[in-house]
Amino acid sequence: MFELGVVKRSINRANRVAADALAAFGSATVHEALGRVGLLQPYMRPIYPGAQVSGTAITVLLQPGDNWMMHVAAEQIREGDIVVAAVTSPCTDGYFGDLLATSFVARGARALVIDAGVRDVKTLQQMGFAVWSKAISSKGTIKATLGSVNVPIVCAGMLVTPGDVVVADDDGVVIVPAALAVATAEAAARREALEAGKRAQLASGVLGLDMYKMREPLEEAGLRYID
Amino acid sequence: MFELGVVKRSINRANRVAADALAAFGSATVHEALGRVGLLQPYMRPIYPGAQVSGTAITVLLQPGDNWMMHVAAEQIREGDIVVAAVTSPCTDGYFGDLLATSFVARGARALVIDAGVRDVKTLQQMGFAVWSKAISSKGTIKATLGSVNVPIVCAGMLVTPGDVVVADDDGVVIVPAALAVATAEAAARREALEAGKRAQLASGVLGLDMYKMREPLEEAGLRYID
Amino acid sequence: MFELGVVKRSINRANRVAADALAAFGSATVHEALGRVGLLQPYMRPIYPGAQVSGTAITVLLQPGDNWMMHVAAEQIREGDIVVAAVTSPCTDGYFGDLLATSFVARGARALVIDAGVRDVKTLQQMGFAVWSKAISSKGTIKATLGSVNVPIVCAGMLVTPGDVVVADDDGVVIVPAALAVATAEAAARREALEAGKRAQLASGVLGLDMYKMREPLEEAGLRYID
Amino acid sequence: MFELGVVKRSINRANRVAADALAAFGSATVHEALGRVGLLQPYMRPIYPGAQVSGTAITVLLQPGDNWMMHVAAEQIREGDIVVAAVTSPCTDGYFGDLLATSFVARGARALVIDAGVRDVKTLQQMGFAVWSKAISSKGTIKATLGSVNVPIVCAGMLVTPGDVVVADDDGVVIVPAALAVATAEAAARREALEAGKRAQLASGVLGLDMYKMREPLEEAGLRYID
Amino acid sequence: MFELGVVKRSINRANRVAADALAAFGSATVHEALGRVGLLQPYMRPIYPGAQVSGTAITVLLQPGDNWMMHVAAEQIREGDIVVAAVTSPCTDGYFGDLLATSFVARGARALVIDAGVRDVKTLQQMGFAVWSKAISSKGTIKATLGSVNVPIVCAGMLVTPGDVVVADDDGVVIVPAALAVATAEAAARREALEAGKRAQLASGVLGLDMYKMREPLEEAGLRYID
Amino acid sequence: MFELGVVKRSINRANRVAADALAAFGSATVHEALGRVGLLQPYMRPIYPGAQVSGTAITVLLQPGDNWMMHVAAEQIREGDIVVAAVTSPCTDGYFGDLLATSFVARGARALVIDAGVRDVKTLQQMGFAVWSKAISSKGTIKATLGSVNVPIVCAGMLVTPGDVVVADDDGVVIVPAALAVATAEAAARREALEAGKRAQLASGVLGLDMYKMREPLEEAGLRYID
């Protein structure tokens, strides 16, 4: 598990249509559709607001202060992938900047999710390359120690298997197992349809207490109204 | 204190005119006008920059991972209120999203201050609904356990009594006790008037050392100038 | 070291041309050009995105909850300086707001770097005054205890000597010792020239693995490709 | 609220017998007996293991880096009191050491609970004076700015009113409102009696699943057993 | 992945002899023997010093503020197991105390590793039941929402599969995949034998520089000695 | 500043008698005697309670995840030294264990102060080797990248120059510049003598309010007593 010094070249990417479709629902709806699992820790934040993407995961396991494997990962990227990177121990260094982003874009990557730091954030925003990270730091890294590419990793508290779908927006990052991508996209579409109706009711002044029929269970739970 | 399972329907809201007027002064000036008390911990941040509001507090005491009481609170909102929510133990889950925001707006709420997480932040910004929170998280919540509405709570280190005035902007969130709202608005106005004169002097190059007559007390305190 | 109660009036500012030129390279390139040292801890963040500055350091050593020395520092500012402030123990109070900023601008300061909090951030952005800080807080400070001005300080983990060059942007804050300013500016220019060529290659699809000739050392380190 | 510059001399201490009796139950049992409210944030830790106390609260509101009010508080201590101290903004300085502890002991204090730092911890342990704090720090404080004594304060997220009962042990610190002290002691005694029986059953190998009759509700909630 | 509402009854426990033998080597040696992977984040700390255990993992996935699944897990424990628990979002509540510990001991559990809080720590130490946790908190939990037992979980940043070996001591907690338990125990024994010889040399004053033959590579890397 | 790849062999150690004598006063008294400067951040904690040492600083600048320079530092240690280590970016890895401790002890070192992690803490306590660190972690390090030995470093927020006196105990770690060691030892002795008299008065029930003559300044500052 979490083997070092390995690059897996063939991975089973999730269904392309579903992987692409999930972005539109956003991470909150996808998280619900998946059964309320799969969310990375909320310290993972976009480096600029507004980006909303989904794609298939290329995974990278890095060593502290060393981004050698990011270059190895670049070769494994295909159109529609999102690179997800973890480090073997907590580190805030800037593992990724505009040069690597240029290379990743040329290979077809849509975004980077990294449980560490990045730099050149202004340029990355100008390029429109989306990144979710734990930190921003000017401190670069060395290229001396092996990690791995396309092994299962834990990124910000969540297991990520190569080929899983990554859904990320201003609310956070959700991982959808490849085998559940199609079903999750369908569930998300159903959920979104339901929410539209609820939104209209709530906007008209109907209370959630009534719309969700909560008054009785609240009373049973013992809620007391006083003046 | 911090009783669970209670909803108080009648609360004493602060003077409306003062509650509305305080927004314009901003949280820093109001904090000074109040005698430098009342500030929530600085980890409470706006989910998007630029919002500046004031209003009367509806309070909510939540359980970890459970937003049932947010729906109960919605019914108690009146025009000009700001909902202030605390959790009985630290939690970063997303207790609030665009559906609840739609309901809160329909009831007349101006903003939410929550010592936990929220989601749908892009939509909330598009709606213009202001939120100050500890976290942003796609993770939703269940509806299973009672908390309370309109009991005194501690939010991010500060006591909030229902009806108090909440003043929030990019600098943070200040709570003004209802009984002090009018006096605080007057003190804030006086302070702002004084600051205008000072700003002009400082802009012309006058030093604070001279404007505030600090040179003598600094010398008495033993400050030494060396070359 | 870190003497209290002292103001040093004459400091050796770094070469003006180099101090001014370093801003254009950005903190990441300057950090590399300096040999990958000099970076403040990454918790130091700009209060609004997009600012990019360099200048010569005026240093301030503050006491917790007390900004008296900021006024003393104002008098020592010359055109092209950046004020760098540390506190003798961790504090998030708002030591600096629009009045002090007005005074600093009138004296010629370009920015503030402070290992504590600031306030009036909306006004500071409107003024175009750049600040990097640990926190944002409405809580003001008193003026009762001596610190020092223009003594060496440690700010966010880095030693800052008065007259050093400060380079700050969205990626963070780097300190360049005054004696190395010219050499660092030259090294940064060389580095930037090199990167332009690399960027073009990477954009055309060339892999870093090939451009940096990494395949052989990776194989020697034992990297295994599997299918 | 949280007024500065005030010392209240007469406070309503909780029932003495109940205040003294609560220590024996420990903070976890008291927290349950009180309805699962009243707990300070878990970052409050004992400076040495094993202490277990209860007593009536003397409250202190301090300024950052300033312990002047601790001396003012000493005069208000009576036999059986526990001093509970908060700071107007986050601070880790060492507000309290062996000299103040000597004075507090001479006045009859049983312990200190402080949302800041203390020092001389080895001597405090030798004296047997119990302290729960956020930090340990050698950094002393000044005596320059007024706070308050015996006003309601928020300490580590919990409201503390002078005269409330403080119950503290290795598990944390719980505040029992004075008016609820007797009832809480009775509830704690009942709870403890119940637990003895449960402990015996569990020790004999009976499962909580059976003892608490959880199997049916778990099945109703949809729990699936697989092999 | 991380499915909710499931209890897996049959798991593949690691080789018993290896699982039991690993405790004696300690977490640091086992971490090295495993190839420097498998360590939980260092915020996981023992609740009292000195415990050193190994055993096979029973996994529990909990909801925030809800310990229902701990009772479900108790039934799955066999002699020699260690319970490893994660929560679906960050939580510091006290999920576990002396009653559950009594039950776990009766079932044969050796320890608990939990990415949340525990309570009754003094009693747990008296019982000799070892716990590694993120927090200590008097705050108990409810029993209302399903999680899972014996599904793969991520605990403090590391993937744990039911049946894996858990090795924990004052240095931290390491997870050894079941399939690697025997090989890791052998590698740990070899490593320990090697270290005994090195320790003797170092104790006699031989420098690591010479023992590890580092002088030449340091010189090649460019290390300069100055006076 | 903070040059990489350098080992300075000749350093100016502080006066031996003073360096040895400072331990007895403890870090809090020394911090006061030095003018309330020199304290490392309070997150630096002893790995076991009760150690109290002083000695002359050998400094080490490390790279993240790499302890190569610790071996280089060992050769520079003389009897009575304390090794003080910093890392170029935040890292919690275990840089130091019982083998290095054996070597350090053989060279005459009294303790280690490291702004990172250590391991083998149980063995270190059995050896009686004192360590103050930011973290405890089983994760070992590689030996691949140059740092420096005996250059000025910043450790946990404080500048440390080789030869400075390090004073450490349960309250924290203080750095005394070599040139001030003798004067600081004298000031600490005077301070301790003064405190003995104060302690006796306070123990007899005299209030600090009277002993320090605070009543008048408190009244002047506006303190109000109410009933």
Side-chain angles (χ1 to χ4, degrees):
Chain A
M1 190 86 326
F2 305 152
E3 199 178 359
L4 298 172
V6 172
V7 183
K8 191 149 193 317
R9 273 182 296 218
S10 58
I11 64 174
N12 296 315
R13 286 176 174 79
N15 176 280
R16 188 77 259 155
V17 174
D20 292 350
L22 282 165
F25 300 107
S27 67
T29 294
V30 171
H31 183 252
E32 295 288 345
L34 190 55
R36 303 212 303 127
V37 292
L39 183 66
L40 272 60
Q41 295 273 356
Y43 64 72
M44 295 295 288
R45 299 297 305 145
I47 60 170
Y48 56 88
Q52 184 160 344
V53 302
S54 62
T56 38
I58 293 289
T59 64
V60 191
L61 185 57
L62 301 159
Q63 301 283 3
D66 189 313
N67 79 342
W68 213 8
M69 287 301 112
M70 294 295 266
H71 292 278
V72 175
E75 191 175 26
Q76 306 305 318
I77 295 170
R78 291 199 201 154
E79 189 67 37
D81 283 341
I82 291 178
V83 179
V84 183
V87 189
T88 58
S89 60
C91 188
T92 59
D93 288 356
Y95 281 79
F96 181 89
D98 72 324
L99 284 185
L100 263 171
T102 300
S103 180
F104 276 28
V105 167
R107 304 294 298 182
R110 288 178 183 165
L112 171 69
V113 173
I114 182 167
D115 196 0
V118 298
R119 57 184 187 175
D120 300 333
V121 299
K122 197 189 290 188
T123 307
L124 294 175
Q125 182 167 14
Q126 287 162 352
M127 292 171 65
F129 188 80
V131 178
W132 284 257
S133 74
K134 176 171 87 171
I136 291 170
S137 171
S138 293
K139 182 164 191 293
T141 48
I142 59 167
K143 299 171 208 319
T145 315
L146 294 187
S148 289
V149 172
N150 281 337
V151 298
I153 60 169
V154 172
C155 180
M158 185 50 45
L159 181 68
V160 187
T161 302
D164 285 351
V165 183
V166 181
V167 184
D169 59 11
D170 288 350
D171 289 346
V173 183
V174 173
I175 304 300
V176 180
L180 302 179
V182 173
T184 303
E186 291 167 357
R190 282 195 301 273
R191 187 175 171 87
E192 206 171 66
L194 280 173
E195 290 205 343
K198 291 181 191 168
R199 195 175 291 107
Q201 283 193 65
L202 293 169
S204 73
V206 174
L207 285 165
L209 287 176
D210 298 310
M211 190 174 78
Y212 297 114
K213 302 192 192 311
M214 291 173 172
R215 292 194 191 271
E216 198 180 336
L218 283 164
E219 193 182 342
E220 277 169 21
L223 190 65
R224 291 180 298 121
Y225 283 82
I226 58 179
D227 289 313
Chain B
M1 188 88 326
F2 304 152
E3 200 178 358
L4 297 173
V6 172
V7 182
K8 193 153 193 313
R9 274 182 296 219
S10 59
I11 63 175
N12 296 314
R13 286 175 174 80
N15 175 279
R16 190 77 259 155
V17 174
D20 293 350
L22 281 165
F25 299 108
S27 66
T29 294
V30 170
H31 182 252
E32 295 287 345
L34 190 56
R36 303 213 299 127
V37 292
L39 183 66
L40 272 60
Q41 294 275 355
Y43 64 72
M44 296 294 288
R45 298 298 304 144
I47 60 169
Y48 55 88
Q52 185 159 344
V53 302
S54 62
T56 38
I58 293 289
T59 65
V60 191
L61 185 58
L62 301 159
Q63 301 283 4
D66 190 314
N67 78 343
W68 213 9
M69 288 301 113
M70 294 295 267
H71 292 277
V72 176
E75 191 176 27
Q76 306 306 318
I77 296 170
R78 291 199 201 153
E79 188 67 36
D81 283 341
I82 291 177
V83 179
V84 182
V87 189
T88 58
S89 60
C91 189
T92 59
D93 286 356
Y95 281 79
F96 181 90
D98 71 325
L99 284 185
L100 264 171
T102 300
S103 180
F104 277 28
V105 167
R107 305 294 299 179
R110 288 179 182 164
L112 170 69
V113 173
I114 181 166
D115 195 0
V118 298
R119 56 184 189 174
D120 300 332
V121 298
K122 197 190 290 189
T123 308
L124 294 175
Q125 181 167 14
Q126 287 161 354
M127 293 171 64
F129 188 81
V131 178
W132 284 257
S133 74
K134 177 171 86 170
I136 291 169
S137 172
S138 293
K139 183 166 191 291
T141 48
I142 59 168
K143 299 173 207 319
T145 314
L146 294 187
S148 289
V149 172
N150 281 338
V151 298
I153 61 169
V154 171
C155 180
M158 185 51 46
L159 181 68
V160 187
T161 302
D164 285 351
V165 183
V166 180
V167 184
D169 60 11
D170 288 351
D171 290 344
V173 183
V174 173
I175 304 301
V176 180
L180 301 179
V182 173
T184 304
E186 291 168 356
R190 282 195 301 276
R191 187 176 170 87
E192 204 171 68
L194 279 174
E195 290 205 344
K198 290 181 191 169
R199 193 174 291 107
Q201 282 193 66
L202 294 168
S204 74
V206 174
L207 285 165
L209 287 177
D210 297 310
M211 191 175 79
Y212 297 113
K213 301 191 194 312
M214 290 173 173
R215 292 193 190 271
E216 200 180 335
L218 283 165
E219 193 181 343
E220 276 170 21
L223 189 66
R224 291 179 301 120
Y225 283 84
I226 59 178
D227 290 313
Chain C
M1 189 89 326
F2 305 153
E3 198 178 359
L4 296 172
V6 172
V7 183
K8 191 150 194 315
R9 275 183 294 219
S10 59
I11 64 175
N12 297 313
R13 286 175 174 80
N15 175 281
R16 191 76 258 156
V17 174
D20 293 350
L22 282 165
F25 300 108
S27 66
T29 295
V30 170
H31 182 251
E32 295 288 346
L34 190 56
R36 303 213 300 130
V37 292
L39 184 66
L40 271 60
Q41 294 276 357
Y43 64 73
M44 295 294 287
R45 298 300 304 145
I47 60 168
Y48 56 87
Q52 184 160 342
V53 303
S54 63
T56 38
I58 293 289
T59 65
V60 191
L61 185 57
L62 300 159
Q63 301 284 2
D66 189 313
N67 79 343
W68 213 9
M69 287 301 113
M70 294 295 267
H71 292 278
V72 176
E75 191 175 29
Q76 306 305 318
I77 296 170
R78 292 197 199 155
E79 188 68 36
D81 282 341
I82 290 177
V83 178
V84 183
V87 189
T88 58
S89 61
C91 189
T92 60
D93 287 355
Y95 281 79
F96 181 89
D98 72 323
L99 285 184
L100 263 171
T102 300
S103 180
F104 276 28
V105 167
R107 305 293 299 180
R110 288 179 182 164
L112 170 69
V113 174
I114 181 166
D115 195 0
V118 298
R119 58 184 187 175
D120 301 331
V121 299
K122 197 189 289 189
T123 308
L124 294 176
Q125 182 167 13
Q126 288 162 351
M127 294 171 63
F129 189 81
V131 178
W132 284 257
S133 73
K134 177 171 86 173
I136 291 170
S137 171
S138 293
K139 181 164 191 293
T141 47
I142 58 167
K143 299 172 208 320
T145 314
L146 294 187
S148 288
V149 172
N150 281 337
V151 297
I153 61 170
V154 172
C155 180
M158 185 51 45
L159 181 69
V160 187
T161 302
D164 284 351
V165 182
V166 181
V167 183
D169 60 13
D170 287 350
D171 289 346
V173 183
V174 173
I175 305 300
V176 180
L180 302 179
V182 172
T184 303
E186 291 168 357
R190 281 194 302 275
R191 188 177 170 87
E192 204 171 68
L194 279 174
E195 290 206 343
K198 290 180 190 168
R199 194 175 292 108
Q201 282 193 66
L202 293 168
S204 74
V206 175
L207 285 165
L209 287 176
D210 298 310
M211 192 176 78
Y212 297 113
K213 301 191 192 314
M214 290 172 172
R215 293 194 190 270
E216 200 180 334
L218 282 164
E219 193 182 341
E220 277 171 19
L223 189 66
R224 290 179 301 119
Y225 284 83
I226 59 178
D227 289 313
Chain D
M1 187 86 329
F2 305 153
E3 199 178 359
L4 297 172
V6 172
V7 182
K8 190 149 195 319
R9 273 181 296 217
S10 59
I11 64 175
N12 296 315
R13 285 175 174 80
N15 175 280
R16 188 78 260 153
V17 174
D20 292 350
L22 282 165
F25 299 108
S27 66
T29 294
V30 171
H31 182 252
E32 294 288 346
L34 190 56
R36 304 211 302 126
V37 292
L39 183 66
L40 271 60
Q41 295 275 357
Y43 63 74
M44 295 295 287
R45 299 298 304 144
I47 60 169
Y48 56 87
Q52 184 160 341
V53 303
S54 62
T56 37
I58 293 288
T59 64
V60 191
L61 185 57
L62 301 158
Q63 302 284 2
D66 189 315
N67 78 342
W68 213 8
M69 287 301 111
M70 294 296 266
H71 291 278
V72 176
E75 191 175 27
Q76 307 305 318
I77 295 170
R78 291 197 201 156
E79 190 67 36
D81 283 340
I82 291 177
V83 178
V84 182
V87 189
T88 57
S89 61
C91 189
T92 60
D93 287 357
Y95 281 79
F96 181 89
D98 72 326
L99 285 185
L100 264 171
T102 300
S103 180
F104 277 28
V105 168
R107 305 294 298 181
R110 288 179 183 165
L112 170 69
V113 173
I114 182 167
D115 196 359
V118 298
R119 57 184 186 174
D120 300 331
V121 299
K122 197 189 292 189
T123 308
L124 294 175
Q125 182 168 13
Q126 289 162 351
M127 293 171 64
F129 188 81
V131 178
W132 284 257
S133 73
K134 176 170 87 172
I136 291 170
S137 171
S138 293
K139 183 165 191 291
T141 47
I142 58 168
K143 300 171 205 324
T145 315
L146 294 187
S148 289
V149 172
N150 282 337
V151 297
I153 61 169
V154 171
C155 180
M158 185 51 46
L159 181 68
V160 187
T161 302
D164 285 351
V165 183
V166 181
V167 184
D169 60 12
D170 288 351
D171 289 345
V173 183
V174 173
I175 304 300
V176 180
L180 302 178
V182 173
T184 303
E186 291 168 357
R190 282 193 301 275
R191 187 177 171 86
E192 206 171 66
L194 279 174
E195 290 206 343
K198 291 180 191 168
R199 195 175 290 107
Q201 282 193 66
L202 294 168
S204 74
V206 175
L207 285 166
L209 287 176
D210 298 310
M211 190 174 80
Y212 298 113
K213 301 191 195 311
M214 291 173 173
R215 291 193 191 272
E216 199 181 336
L218 282 165
E219 193 183 342
E220 276 169 22
L223 190 65
R224 292 179 299 120
Y225 284 83
I226 59 179
D227 289 313
Chain E
M1 188 89 328
F2 303 152
E3 200 178 355
L4 297 172
V6 172
V7 182
K8 193 151 193 315
R9 274 182 294 221
S10 60
I11 63 175
N12 297 313
R13 286 176 173 80
N15 175 279
R16 189 77 259 156
V17 174
D20 293 350
L22 282 165
F25 300 108
S27 66
T29 294
V30 171
H31 182 252
E32 295 287 346
L34 190 56
R36 303 213 299 126
V37 293
L39 183 67
L40 272 60
Q41 294 276 357
Y43 64 73
M44 295 295 286
R45 298 300 302 145
I47 60 168
Y48 56 87
Q52 184 159 345
V53 302
S54 62
T56 39
I58 293 289
T59 64
V60 192
L61 185 57
L62 301 158
Q63 300 284 3
D66 189 313
N67 78 343
W68 213 8
M69 288 301 113
M70 294 296 266
H71 292 277
V72 176
E75 192 175 27
Q76 306 306 317
I77 295 170
R78 292 199 201 152
E79 189 68 37
D81 283 340
I82 290 177
V83 179
V84 183
V87 189
T88 58
S89 60
C91 188
T92 60
D93 287 357
Y95 281 78
F96 181 90
D98 71 325
L99 285 184
L100 264 171
T102 300
S103 180
F104 277 28
V105 167
R107 306 293 299 180
R110 290 181 180 162
L112 170 69
V113 173
I114 182 167
D115 195 359
V118 299
R119 55 184 188 173
D120 300 332
V121 300
K122 198 189 289 189
T123 307
L124 294 175
Q125 183 168 13
Q126 287 161 353
M127 294 172 64
F129 188 81
V131 178
W132 284 257
S133 73
K134 177 171 87 173
I136 291 169
S137 171
S138 293
K139 182 165 192 289
T141 47
I142 59 168
K143 299 171 208 321
T145 314
L146 295 187
S148 289
V149 172
N150 281 337
V151 296
I153 60 170
V154 171
C155 180
M158 184 52 45
L159 181 68
V160 187
T161 302
D164 285 352
V165 183
V166 181
V167 184
D169 60 11
D170 288 351
D171 290 346
V173 183
V174 173
I175 305 300
V176 180
L180 302 179
V182 173
T184 303
E186 291 168 357
R190 282 194 301 275
R191 187 177 171 88
E192 204 169 67
L194 279 174
E195 290 206 343
K198 290 180 190 168
R199 195 175 292 108
Q201 283 194 64
L202 293 168
S204 74
V206 174
L207 285 166
L209 287 176
D210 297 311
M211 191 176 79
Y212 297 113
K213 301 191 193 314
M214 290 172 172
R215 293 195 189 272
E216 200 181 333
L218 282 164
E219 192 182 342
E220 275 169 21
L223 189 66
R224 291 178 300 119
Y225 284 83
I226 59 178
D227 289 312
Chain F
M1 189 88 325
F2 305 152
E3 199 178 0
L4 297 171
V6 172
V7 183
K8 192 151 193 313
R9 274 182 295 219
S10 58
I11 63 174
N12 297 313
R13 286 175 174 81
N15 176 281
R16 189 77 258 154
V17 174
D20 292 351
L22 282 165
F25 300 107
S27 66
T29 295
V30 170
H31 182 252
E32 295 287 346
L34 190 56
R36 302 211 303 129
V37 293
L39 184 67
L40 271 61
Q41 294 275 356
Y43 64 73
M44 295 295 287
R45 298 299 304 144
I47 60 169
Y48 57 87
Q52 184 160 342
V53 303
S54 62
T56 38
I58 293 289
T59 65
V60 190
L61 185 58
L62 301 158
Q63 300 284 0
D66 190 314
N67 79 342
W68 213 8
M69 287 301 112
M70 294 295 266
H71 292 277
V72 176
E75 190 175 29
Q76 306 306 317
I77 295 171
R78 292 197 200 156
E79 189 68 37
D81 282 342
I82 291 177
V83 178
V84 182
V87 189
T88 58
S89 61
C91 189
T92 59
D93 287 356
Y95 281 78
F96 181 91
D98 72 323
L99 284 185
L100 263 171
T102 301
S103 181
F104 276 29
V105 167
R107 305 295 298 182
R110 288 179 182 164
L112 170 70
V113 173
I114 182 166
D115 195 359
V118 298
R119 57 185 187 173
D120 300 331
V121 299
K122 197 189 291 188
T123 308
L124 294 175
Q125 182 168 13
Q126 288 162 350
M127 293 171 64
F129 189 81
V131 177
W132 285 256
S133 74
K134 177 171 85 173
I136 291 170
S137 171
S138 293
K139 182 165 192 291
T141 48
I142 58 167
K143 299 172 207 320
T145 315
L146 294 187
S148 288
V149 172
N150 281 338
V151 297
I153 61 169
V154 171
C155 180
M158 184 51 45
L159 181 68
V160 187
T161 302
D164 285 351
V165 183
V166 181
V167 184
D169 60 12
D170 287 351
D171 290 345
V173 183
V174 173
I175 304 300
V176 180
L180 302 179
V182 173
T184 303
E186 292 168 356
R190 281 194 302 273
R191 186 175 171 86
E192 205 171 66
L194 279 174
E195 291 205 344
K198 290 181 192 168
R199 193 174 292 107
Q201 283 194 65
L202 294 169
S204 73
V206 174
L207 285 166
L209 287 177
D210 297 309
M211 191 175 78
Y212 298 113
K213 301 191 192 312
M214 290 172 173
R215 292 194 191 271
E216 199 181 335
L218 282 165
E219 193 182 342
E220 276 170 21
L223 189 66
R224 290 179 301 121
Y225 283 83
I226 59 178
D227 288 315

